[in-house]
Amino acid sequence: MKLSKDQELYRQLTEQFAEELYNLAEKDINKILLLQKNDRDILLVELSKIMMHYNTTDNVLNLSSTEKVKISNKLNKVINEAMKEEIKSETDKITEILKKSGLDKYYTNSYILSLGLIFTIKKVDDKVLNRIIKKTIKGKNYSDRIWDNKNKVAKLLRNEVKKFVNGETNLNKIEKLIKNIFNANAYNTKRLAQTEIARVMEGLNDAWQWENDIKWVLYSATLDMKTCNDCGQYDGLVFDIDKKPVELPKHPMCRCTYIALPHKGYRPKTRRDNENKHSVNWTTYGKWKEENNI
Ligand SMILES: [Zn+2]
């Protein structure tokens, strides 16, 4: 199916706004990662303090059994508290990001459609939003997964601390291992957040399409960071709204999406060409939101 000029514009704008949404979310994710770095540094400082205050042989701790118990307890407390705090703050912040990205996905769709069509803008039902955000996959939702991930990190850290206290490893080695564990911690958070953002955005996208009587959708793999064959095979194909071939996201960090194809009455006043490509952007969307009390 060949897209008309107006449908092609609609596709481009949808991708442009989705990209903006991913960029905004990425900034928020990076803020979460700063807290993790701080936790890592606190633990590393504790370890070097211990090296300075206690007896060492060849850069390895040489502790009495009482000292071992005391230091283990202290370090495990630092680890457990850090992870407890990360669970709480990451769950809160990711929930916030999911709400924001989901709502903006829904309303950017409305905005783009409003450029070329007069229609009644429907508000997102809170129940629908929450149902999409809290949806479980294989029995778990994102907050369960954050909890699982952090417990795994805590276990790995406690294990390294145990070896350190028992004199089985030196400061250099444990520092390196702890940095690796925290790098994996950051990667997991990023992957989880990005995958969930894509899932929630697509959930709201789907809800929006049904709300607005969309009949046809175009599969777009344009924003997918690494288009695999699985995703690439559908790119550019048009499907009946109730015959979407796969549920998205298809893989972690997948950014594929089904773009609504507006019907023939869609006629934007301004086509996005070289002269006016700045007339349709995030700021105009912001103004539109204000005007419509969104
Ligand atoms: Zn994909």
Side-chain angles (χ1 to χ4, degrees), residues 14-30 97-98 101 104-105 190 193-203 205 220 222-225 248-249 251 253-258 282:
T14 306
E15 283 167 359
Q16 178 196 326
F17 274 89
E19 193 171 15
E20 179 80 20
L21 272 170
Y22 280 117
N23 291 342
L24 288 170
E26 183 116 6
K27 281 186 193 153
D28 288 331
I29 298 171
N30 288 337
I97 301 172
L98 292 179
S101 321
D104 272 325
K105 176 60 195 163
K190 211 168 176 168
Q194 286 183 342
T195 308
E196 286 296 310
I197 289 161
R199 184 186 65 74
V200 169
M201 275 171 51
E202 197 55 27
N205 186 35
S220 163
T222 305
L223 295 181
D224 208 4
M225 284 177 278
L248 296 174
H251 53 85
M253 293 161 119
C254 172
R255 286 183 175 184
C256 292
T257 183
Y258 291 104
W282 198 256

Side-chain angles (χ1 to χ4, degrees), residues 268-283:
K269 283 185 222 80
T270 42
R271 282 229 175 89
R272 185 167 167 261
D273 50 37
N274 284 334
E275 289 133 69
N276 62 26
K277 71 176 167 191
H278 295 295
S279 66
V280 180
N281 58 30
W282 198 256
T283 321

Side-chain angles (χ1 to χ4, degrees), residues 2 44 47-48 53 75 88 93 108 116 138 145 150 194 200 211 225 230 234 238 245 247 275 279 283 288:
K2 200 176 172 327
L44 292 176
L47 295 176
S48 47
H53 286 103
L75 290 173
K88 199 192 165 314
K93 286 193 182 121
T108 50
K138 290 178 195 156
R145 284 177 216 284
K150 296 298 170 186
Q194 286 183 342
V200 169
E211 273 287 330
M225 284 177 278
D230 257 12
Y234 301 115
V238 174
E247 203 178 323
E275 289 133 69
S279 66
T283 321
W288 173 88

